[in-house]
Each structure stands twice: as C-alpha cells, then as structure tokens.
Amino acid sequence: MTSLKRGLLGAAVLALATAATFAPAVADTPKDSLVMAWQFDDIVGLDPAEIFELSGAEYSAQVYDRLIHFDVKDVSKIEGEVAESWTVSPDGKTFTFKIRDGITFHSGNPLTAEDVAYSFRRAVKMNKGPAFILGQFGLTAANVDAMVTAPDPRTLVFTTDQTYAPTFVLYCLTADVASVVDSKLVRSKEKDGDFGSGWLKTNSAGSGPFALKQWKASELLMLDANPKYWRGAPALKRVLIRHIAEPATQRLLLEKGDVDVARNLKPEQFEPLKSNASVRLTQSPKGTLWYVSLNQKNPALAKPEVREAMKYLVDYEGMGKTIMNGQGTIHQAFLPKGFLGALDENPYRYDPAKAKELLARAGYPNGLTVTMDVRNTTPTQDLAQAIQASAAAGGVTINIIPGDGKQVLTKYRARNHDLYIGQWGADYQDPNTNADTFASNPDNADDAKAKPLAWRNAWDIPELTKLTASAVVERDGAKRAAIYQDLQRKVLAESPFVIMYQQTEVIAERSNVSGMVWGPSFDTNTYWKAVKN
C-alpha cells in the first residue's frame, strides 16, 4: 500500500488511515499535517458533557475552550481562558467571571456568557458521568438555572450552596465538563429533549484550535485547524490520529516516517529509539494512577483479610523495573505527587507467604479463584499477566477477561466485575478529585446518582465519606492537607484498591516535530502549537 507522502489530499490521507496493511514507507507525512499513532478505543462518545475517559478528555482539549485553566508548568497558577478575570464574594459563595470578548465558535457564532451558562446547565441536567464535578456545589437540574446565570453577554455568575475552599471551586471549573459548547448550534440539534447529545456524540460545537472532521471508533480521529482561533491559528492544518493497537507497529510506522508521533510504546523499544537521530523521546509525568480494584459485591473479596492479601500479591518492584520501566514510579496512595496533601508512603511489598496467612484467616486456606477484566492496551495487559503470575504464588487464581476499552469500562461501571485493572486520571487539580472517588460513596445503591470508584466497587464507607466532605469546606490549606493525609492512610489500610504506580507518559516524536504540549493530565495535552520543520 502507498505510504503517506507530502501534499496528499485529505481523501488520500483518510484512505491511508483506515487501511489495515502497510508497505515500506518512502516519504514523510504531509508538511501541514500531524499524524499520530495512538490506542484510543476507550472513547465512548465526543460530547464534553459525557466524556469521562482519558482519550476523550484529550480530544476535548483540542476542540473546546474552558472557562479557566491552570499553567501546565506550575499547576498552582489558575489562569483565565474564556474568562479573562473573576472575583469571589466575601462569603465565598458567588464567583463572577468576566467573559473575554472576540471569541467565536467554529460555526461563526460569537461566544457569550450565555453559552457558558448553557454549557454548565446542560451538563448538570443531562447528569452523565462527569456531571458530579459541578453537582458537588449543590447544583441540580431543579436549581442550576438560578445558580448559574448570565446577566449580560460578558458576565457569568456561578453560585455555590455553601462556602468551599476557593481553589477547590476554581480547579473544578478547569475540568473537561466545563467545556463551552455553542448553545445556538447544539439547541438546533436537539431531539426529544436530549440536549443535542445524540448529535454531539459524533460532532463538535466548540471554539478551540481544532474542529472535528471525522471520528470512526477504534479507527481514526481527524481534526481540522480553526483558522480564526482567538489565541492564534494552528500552524498545522490537520491532525490525524490513527488507532494502532500494537506497539511494535507504532514503532515501525514512526521509524519509517508514516507517523509523526507514537504514544503506546513499550520500555524495550525506548533504547533502540534513543540512538535514532530522527526520533525524540519525551517524558511527561502525569497525575494518573495504575490500580487494581476488588468488587465488594463478591463475598470473598469483601473480606478485609482478602483485600489486604491482594496488596501483598503484587510485585511492585519487579514490574516497576521491567513493565513500567520509564513509564511510572511506585506510588500506593490515592493522591498523586504534586497534589496538596499527597502522601509519599508505600507500605506494601510482594509477600506471597503473608498473603497466604491472610487468606487462611479469611477462610480460604486453599486460596480462591477470581476474574480480572483487562483492557487490551500496553502496559495494562502486561501488568495483568504479571499480577496473575505473582498472585498464583500466594494462592489466588486470576482468570483474565480481555476486552477493548469500551467493553471493559462499560462492565466496570455496571459493577459486574471481580477484579479490574486500569488507570485513573485526575479530573481537576484539587485533591478532592481523587478523594471524592477513592474515599467517598454517598449512596451504595445500584441506582445511585453519584458513581465514584468506591461505588463502582460497592465499598460502603459512610465515615470516610463524611471525612472527605469535610475537607472541601476547610479553607486553611495546612488543615486540608492533614485531612487528606489521614484519608490516604485509611484507604491504604482498608480499601479494595491496590494502587501501584503513578504514570509517566513516554511519547516518541519525529525530530522535525516541535511545540506539542504534554501536560500533567491527558486533557492538558495540546496540539495547537505544534510545528513541523
């Protein structure tokens, strides 16, 4: 098959992107386009009010602007995006934002405060996965119209139900769910009161540096540059992301020049690439954790001794030196390094003899058998297989159930698993983002409105939930940090979560590519400053 060459028309690029086989490459990718190899089969839809997956969040960051953001080099600095400034009332409950003038959506419609208000109200009323980020401030479908208002085209007023730590509120408004959609366009696409969600699953309505051209699930994602972007038009006219699941294929395509960026390489591929003058490796520490969780609906896994035993059946150091070499560091607390109150304590080590003792105490002297749902990605599969082997030495037989991202996540979110292994990325830069999911479960019923990770694993924790809630109203930073450290120690000791590593994303880029921004979260990875020499 013909490889990508300079000057190919969009149709030819698309044809190449959807092809399944390759012949030797003879030229570089088009000068005005960026071609990326990435495994993004976790994307369920493209509506920012529903996106709750790492790949989807990264897509949204290219297409939508948000009210505010933080400096990726210094996350303590919160800056305006759609908002150019803001004030907080003396009681800490009313946040008033001045909306920047001169921003237009891809449709040509001007962006106003009403678009921001509509976007927030829409997310709350739809009440999909990420809606809780706004809902935790007392916003409901019944009151959000009154609590989020646009008194004039340049003013947005955001009101909370009580006084919270101001940075907590602001960091939440940097989240993907706070993306601003084109209200006129989305309203025109509504069907049967769906807030336009049916249309927005496969279309875009943003004001960001790129607009969606085409998405084919587990095949390709194509973005076209927005020449009227308010911060400056992207230098590259198109970004083509190809779903390439096999790391070896990604490396081959990168070395041949068929792709400009590869995202899912294995550690053993790093060393050969270091000697390739045409390739550059970039490390990006992420606030993303690798973990295994135990569903408490399984009576065996609900026993405290079994939960503890599983934490001694993971070879943290062994996998860290091999599978995760360069891609992560051992980290067992739920707050990643860099967050307020993050705990740097790793009390667990691989000890199958201790695990056997705990299993016997729980009533399983001959061990037990469970299943583990695993997404077909690197290094998830490798981690799962290594844990399968290390757990067997301690008496736990793990039967691996592989699947693509959508299949595995859908099953996990329905609480139909035994064990699950995967990543959790922070939704915003405040410590509550992880405390609220690992250490809080307000309602353990199957039909609960809030469905954090504790809920997904049926871990009913009323006291920890109260403690988590107390942290967000504490305005003293030192006292907040102390609460989060206490929470992390309790979760380490008692929870059904086996947290293992904090991720370092390793990206391989062709040396003629520069300007890509790889931030501390996937929704702070951005392409619009990218150039090719």
Side-chain angles (χ1 to χ4, degrees):
M1 172 184 171
T2 304
S3 64
L4 287 172
K5 299 180 180 179
R6 298 180 187 274
L8 284 176
L9 296 175
V13 175
L14 177 59
L16 173 64
T18 56
T21 59
F22 310 94
V26 295
D28 291 336
T29 57
K31 189 75 172 179
D32 63 354
S33 300
L34 181 82
V35 183
M36 182 186 302
W38 191 25
Q39 186 166 4
F40 56 87
D41 60 1
D42 58 330
I43 296 180
V44 177
L46 302 180
D47 186 339
E50 298 188 64
I51 289 172
F52 213 34
E53 301 80 34
L54 298 179
S55 302
E58 183 167 321
Y59 152 80
S60 182
Q62 319 311 317
V63 174
Y64 294 92
D65 287 315
R66 299 175 193 175
L67 186 65
I68 54 178
H69 66 260
F70 56 83
D71 186 336
V72 296
K73 295 181 179 179
D74 182 354
V75 298
S76 68
K77 295 180 179 178
I78 300 175
E79 304 170 334
E81 192 162 310
V82 166
E84 62 182 19
S85 63
W86 60 88
T87 59
V88 184
S89 62
D91 66 359
K93 295 171 62 176
T94 302
F95 294 72
T96 303
F97 298 88
K98 182 180 179 182
I99 303 304
R100 197 180 303 274
D101 198 7
I103 301 177
T104 58
F105 289 104
H106 303 145
S107 67
N109 292 328
L111 187 154
T112 69
E114 178 55 36
D115 292 296
V116 185
Y118 170 81
S119 300
F120 288 10
R121 294 169 186 162
R122 177 179 182 271
V124 171
K125 291 176 182 179
M126 286 176 60
N127 196 29
K128 300 299 182 179
F132 76 92
I133 297 172
L134 299 175
Q136 60 194 335
F137 301 113
L139 276 62
T140 66
N143 69 20
V144 68
D145 287 350
M147 296 184 74
V148 182
T149 62
D152 64 64
R154 304 264 70 86
T155 305
L156 178 84
V157 180
F158 183 90
T159 307
T160 62
D161 60 339
Q162 60 179 312
T163 302
Y164 297 93
T167 52
F168 169 48
V169 178
L170 293 171
Y171 277 125
C172 285
L173 298 183
T174 71
D176 188 59
V177 73
S179 298
V180 182
V181 303
D182 184 338
S183 62
K184 291 181 181 178
L185 178 59
V186 174
R187 281 189 173 114
S188 74
K189 302 297 182 180
E190 287 186 7
K191 288 187 177 180
D192 302 319
D194 72 344
F195 295 95
S197 63
W199 180 81
L200 208 50
K201 283 181 185 292
T202 55
N203 292 277
S204 67
S207 59
F210 293 94
L212 176 67
K213 176 69 174 178
Q214 187 174 12
W215 170 53
K216 289 188 176 182
S218 299
E219 280 191 46
L220 68 90
L221 185 61
M222 187 183 294
L223 309 175
D224 279 352
N226 172 12
K228 297 182 180 179
Y229 185 48
W230 62 277
R231 287 193 281 194
L236 299 178
K237 303 303 182 186
R238 172 165 290 175
V239 174
L240 177 67
I241 305 174
R242 301 174 55 186
H243 177 76
I244 306 292
E246 177 53 51
T249 303
Q250 287 197 16
R251 177 190 166 188
L252 178 64
L253 293 173
L254 181 73
E255 291 183 311
K256 288 182 175 181
D258 278 347
V259 301
D260 301 302
V261 181
R263 300 281 296 276
N264 301 98
L265 302 182
K266 291 186 176 185
E268 59 264 29
Q269 296 167 330
F270 299 157
E271 285 302 321
L273 288 176
K274 287 178 181 178
S275 61
N276 186 334
S278 298
V279 175
R280 176 181 61 253
L281 294 180
T282 301
Q283 289 188 312
S284 174
K286 290 285 191 285
T288 306
L289 303 173
W290 289 97
Y291 73 102
V292 174
S293 63
L294 290 65
N295 192 346
Q296 301 301 278
K297 285 195 169 190
N298 182 317
L301 299 177
K303 293 181 179 293
E305 298 89 351
V306 174
R307 295 199 298 258
E308 186 179 2
M310 283 303 302
K311 295 171 186 177
Y312 286 105
L313 290 177
V314 172
D315 188 358
Y316 306 92
E317 291 190 6
M319 293 193 301
K321 293 176 181 178
T322 53
I323 299 170
M324 296 300 290
N325 184 21
Q327 297 184 103
T329 56
I330 296 173
H331 189 80
Q332 297 176 353
F334 68 69
L335 277 183
K337 294 177 182 177
F339 280 72
L340 176 71
L343 194 67
D344 190 17
E345 295 179 6
N346 301 311
Y348 298 104
R349 66 193 185 284
Y350 182 48
D351 191 340
K354 186 173 182 65
K356 285 183 177 180
E357 292 177 7
L358 288 163
L359 290 172
R361 202 185 307 165
Y364 300 99
N366 299 318
L368 70 156
T369 299
V370 292
T371 61
M372 177 187 283
D373 287 280
V374 180
R375 184 181 166 206
N376 290 326
T377 56
T378 298
T380 311
Q381 294 179 93
D382 299 324
L383 291 172
Q385 291 167 1
I387 293 170
Q388 181 185 49
S390 62
V396 175
T397 299
I398 297 176
N399 295 319
I400 292 176
I401 303 176
D404 66 23
K406 184 176 181 179
Q407 292 171 330
V408 172
L409 286 171
T410 298
K411 183 177 179 180
Y412 183 38
R413 290 169 178 170
R415 310 206 284 189
N416 290 330
H417 62 291
D418 282 346
L419 305 181
Y420 166 85
I421 181 171
Q423 297 166 277
W424 178 260
D427 292 309
Y428 47 90
Q429 205 62 31
D430 187 88
N432 185 67
T433 184
N434 278 18
D436 194 50
T437 199
F438 283 100
S440 179
N441 185 7
D443 182 359
N444 198 42
D446 285 340
D447 60 352
K449 291 183 178 180
K451 298 180 178 180
L453 293 186
W455 177 89
R456 290 188 196 178
N457 292 281
W459 190 36
D460 198 5
I461 43 173
E463 293 306 315
L464 286 184
T465 300
K466 291 177 183 176
L467 186 59
T468 299
S470 73
V472 298
V473 297
E474 177 54 67
R475 306 189 77 176
D476 183 295
K479 290 180 180 178
R480 278 194 88 200
I483 295 173
Y484 288 121
Q485 290 187 343
D486 184 28
L487 275 169
Q488 287 168 95
R489 291 190 176 99
K490 285 181 166 64
V491 170
L492 270 168
E494 304 166 14
S495 81
F497 300 109
V498 185
I499 300 171
M500 303 176 292
Y501 304 101
Q502 182 170 345
Q503 182 181 11
T504 299
E505 186 181 15
V506 181
I507 306 101
E509 303 169 289
R510 297 286 296 181
S511 57
N512 66 326
V513 175
S514 62
M516 298 284 282
V517 175
W518 305 106
S521 56
F522 283 85
D523 65 351
T524 54
N525 290 343
T526 55
Y527 318 151
W528 73 276
K529 293 183 179 180
V531 295
K532 291 171 69 173
N533 301 320

